[in-house]
Amino acid sequence: MEPLVILVVIGGLWALAYLRVSGRAWLLGTGTILLFVSLSGVLGGTCLFLLWILVLAICALLGHPTLRQRYVSRPLLEKFRQVLPAMSDTEREALEAGSVWWDGELFSGRPDWKQLLQEPAPQLTREEQDFIDGPVDELCRMLDDWKITQEDFDLPPDIWAFIAKHRFFGMIIPKEYGGLDFSALAHSTIVMKIASRSVTAAVTIMVPNSLGPAKLLLQYGSQEQKDHYLPRLARAEEIPCFALTGPEAGSDAGAMPDRGVVCRGEFEGREVLGIRLNWEKRYITLGPVATVIGLAFKLFDPDHLLSEEEERGITVALIPADTPGVSIGERHFPLNIPFHNGPNYGRDVFIPLDWLIGGQEGIGQGWRMLMDCLAEGRSISLPALATGAGKAAARYTGAYARIRRQFNMPIGYFEGVEEALARIAALTYQMDAARTLTLGALDRGEKPSVVSAIIKYHLTERYRQVTNDAMDIQGGSGICLGPNNYLGRIYQAIPISITVEGANILTRSMMIFGQGAVRCHPYVLKEFAAAQAKHDGEALRCFDKAIFGHVSFLLSNMARSLFLGLTRSLFSAAPTEGPNKRYYQYLNWMSASFALCADIAMMTLGGALKRKERLSARLGDVLSELYLASAVLKHFENQGGRDEDLPLLRWALDDGLYRMQESLRSLLRNLPIRPLAWILRILIFPTGLPFIEPDDRRGHEAARLLLRPSDARDRLTAGIFTSTDPALAVGRLELALALSEKVAPLEKALTDARRAGSISGKTMSELLAQGREKGVITEEDAGLLQEMEALRRQVIQVDAFDKIGKGRRKGPAARKRASKK
């Protein structure tokens, strides 16, 4: 009888924790369990009496709000305030920026999958699709990336004019100001398509539509500023740039040395109250051609002309580039991708106060402005560029692997190449899934700051992986630059996307979990807010509610992790009974395990976790993989749940689950408190490590999707520039792949005949002649094979030059030396 009672007690307490019941339900459930123990007779009278006294005392203490707050919550609040890590204003504003969305569900330990699946799939409007099929496609056909990157080092004048005419710089500007007023999905799709043709053109177009004056003006500008600038920006009469990064302050905005001082000065012939500015900025995209500069600086008011505060914080102003004292430096040259990028400087530049974005009300709000806008811009531009590169590699390197032959067979059929093709295909599917899921949220009004960091980091890293794999497959054709090399400039541009809008190392090690732990956790931000509240009574009430909710949350995730680990999540709820049910169940398990580890790490390390960047990064990796896996499942449903796409989904999810497992293992191996790490290992993986990397069968199925024309291949690579123009390298690849399907049976017939000894030719012309003579193929068949051979020769050819660099323009320094001579 005693083992049964023990089992019922443990099971009852576990059920209360697993179900994450309310405090009242805990009290009622505990009382019911104690009553069962009493009736079972397993305890003697004295022990039973003492147990009742103990339980009733605890219930009275925890169940009475006044007693609980006085004797439990107040001491905890005082202790919490002592260990609360110091937080700068910039860190606080970064934490408060944006909104919490699906990332909060993943942090909950029990995500609501029905909520995710019920969200509508993002769709382009008819107007947006017409623009993509019209001006965007026309622009792609006009672009000659070799000429842009090797000869002109700039977009030619007709391209600049075309961009201005069709208002490419005004995609986010409302129609009332002359813009296109496109959705985030359209913005991303346009950048993605152009990026598959020319990274230089894509970067030039995406910058004014992401972190730039237009976005800041729309959200924070005065009506007068909107009326003046937005129509000009939409028509490209004004070219904008945004000057944030400087030599002494990149990721650490708090160290920004650029200063503005409130003072009186002369403006347009009269004395006004304004700001005297000095700054030095670099890496500013469009800076060398900008007519208006968005400038971030620290503002000071030493003479108290505006208020009693001397330090007014980071502030943003719009400054015409021809303002006296502004200097535009010469161009940087970012890895042979010659979008305009360069430094600018200001020396004693005087501006009126109404040049501040939002006027005087915008003083000190600059970092908040940047965080809000960057959270959205980071979600669109670079993920679009990365996905465009992945789709191009999937479509065209897949075609190359089918056309290029070695040892009398397409190189794509070799298992080593197949392994790389599988990664290209599945990671591209994952990138597109994450891109579209996030864009749908943006178009519904979300500003998911943590998610924006996740997809910026992981999509650009997958861009790196996919392009490296494509380079390995392309071999010599990938490394020899020239008009026929579609991949070389995409490869060269990888570090640019890795570096800008938050360097990837810092994004992974500091931003994703560092921000997500506080922002997405259901209770931590509330505890922080309560600890910093000025009114003690309100602080205690809020902290009391948050801390006991947090305790229930922790106990629930302990119970859920153990149960899901013991059962391998077999009985976990899933929103579908289809082929993906087990993936939903596995993700429930990983979500609970992640939430548990995150809580334990924060509780035991406190503020030190911010300095334990590798631990923070591993937790961020798990959160990121949970998001990417969610996106893949949602993307599969959005595209109709087609069986042909299952190889891509399964490879991506197998890979994601394995990465989560290994990140958790690495986290537990490095937690400082070793006994706690051992306990967590038992709670999370009580039956061992379940996940393995995608197996060879999965890889074979995913790779084969790239080696022949199909609807699945078209869905995977939808949205990039395609052509069947034989004058273009990508056009020849498309033509050759289509023809390869027609001639495959003919090639097999010739191969079989040679093996049987009926023909013995060494060259293609000999084989064709003998094949016709022996009746293996017809005259028409021979014509198709000759056409295929000619196309294959064109596809595998690489560019050659009489003189490398001939006709290259001299740089500024060389022109100066020449002029002196």
Side-chain angles (χ1 to χ4, degrees), residues 75-399:
L76 288 174
L77 175 58
E78 292 173 357
K79 182 65 175 176
F80 187 76
R81 282 171 168 164
Q82 292 173 10
V83 300
L84 187 67
M87 188 180 299
S88 67
D89 290 340
T90 53
E91 287 178 311
R92 183 177 294 106
E93 289 175 357
L95 284 175
E96 294 172 355
S99 60
V100 177
W101 170 60
W102 182 246
D103 43 342
E105 284 292 320
L106 296 173
F107 225 116
S108 73
R110 52 176 190 184
D112 183 356
W113 296 108
K114 290 183 179 179
Q115 172 191 323
L116 180 70
L117 295 179
Q118 286 171 0
E119 291 185 353
Q123 297 287 336
L124 296 169
T125 66
R126 182 71 262 166
E127 180 185 6
E128 291 168 343
Q129 188 63 62
D130 288 344
F131 187 83
I132 291 165
D133 294 339
V136 176
D137 197 68
E138 186 178 352
L139 174 62
C140 288
R141 295 180 188 281
M142 293 170 65
L143 291 167
D144 182 341
D145 200 51
W146 176 251
K147 190 171 186 294
I148 291 167
T149 58
Q150 192 70 19
E151 298 175 10
D152 294 342
F153 302 102
D154 194 359
L155 300 175
D158 63 323
I159 297 295
W160 281 103
F162 188 88
I163 288 171
K165 176 183 175 182
H166 291 281
R167 296 173 289 168
F168 277 86
F169 284 177
M171 286 191 285
I172 66 170
I173 296 175
K175 291 182 178 180
E176 63 188 281
Y177 297 108
L180 297 174
D181 198 17
F182 280 171
S183 64
L185 177 63
H187 176 185
S188 171
T189 305
I190 290 166
V191 170
M192 182 175 71
K193 185 167 186 174
I194 297 170
S196 68
R197 187 74 171 128
S198 168
V199 174
T200 303
V203 171
T204 299
I205 288 167
M206 77 190 195
V207 167
N209 291 289
S210 55
L211 180 59
K215 186 68 181 176
L216 292 168
L217 284 170
L218 284 168
Q219 195 158 341
Y220 300 103
S222 67
Q223 191 59 50
E224 183 180 0
Q225 289 170 335
K226 293 177 183 178
D227 292 339
H228 176 78
Y229 276 113
L230 290 178
R232 291 170 171 78
L233 290 168
R235 296 191 298 266
E237 293 172 6
E238 298 276 12
I239 304 296
C241 72
F242 194 86
L244 173 61
T245 304
E248 303 297 331
S251 299
D252 183 9
M256 185 186 298
D258 310 295
R259 293 170 58 93
V261 177
V262 180
C263 62
R264 295 191 178 276
E266 186 175 320
F267 181 74
E268 295 182 348
R270 57 191 177 90
E271 186 180 275
V272 299
L273 186 62
I275 300 170
R276 183 79 58 188
L277 288 161
N278 285 277
W279 76 84
E280 179 182 4
K281 303 289 188 179
R282 65 179 181 182
Y283 309 150
I284 309 306
T285 300
L286 295 186
V289 294
T291 62
V292 60
I293 301 169
L295 179 73
F297 60 93
K298 285 184 176 178
L299 182 62
F300 298 86
D301 186 8
D303 297 327
H304 307 292
L305 297 174
L306 293 175
S307 73
E308 292 303 311
E309 289 184 83
E310 182 171 336
E311 296 187 16
R312 301 303 304 272
I314 296 174
T315 302
V316 178
L318 281 183
I319 304 172
D322 59 1
T323 302
V326 175
S327 298
I328 303 298
E330 294 183 314
R331 290 174 64 180
H332 302 313
F333 192 26
L335 292 174
N336 272 33
I337 311 297
F339 56 89
H340 282 273
N341 186 280
N344 59 60
Y345 316 88
R347 297 290 180 265
D348 292 327
V349 179
F350 182 79
I351 66 169
L353 288 176
D354 58 8
W355 284 12
L356 301 178
I357 292 184
Q360 291 193 42
E361 292 181 4
I363 290 175
Q365 300 300 310
W367 191 241
R368 183 179 297 277
M369 293 179 184
L370 297 176
M371 287 299 96
D372 283 343
C373 292
L374 190 61
E376 186 168 341
R378 193 190 280 128
S379 303
I380 300 174
S381 298
L382 289 173
L385 191 152
T387 308
K391 287 177 178 253
R395 190 169 188 92
Y396 299 125
T397 298

Side-chain angles (χ1 to χ4, degrees), residues 567-578:
T567 61
R568 296 277 172 109
S569 68
L570 192 61
F571 303 107
S572 179
T576 177
E577 292 296 324

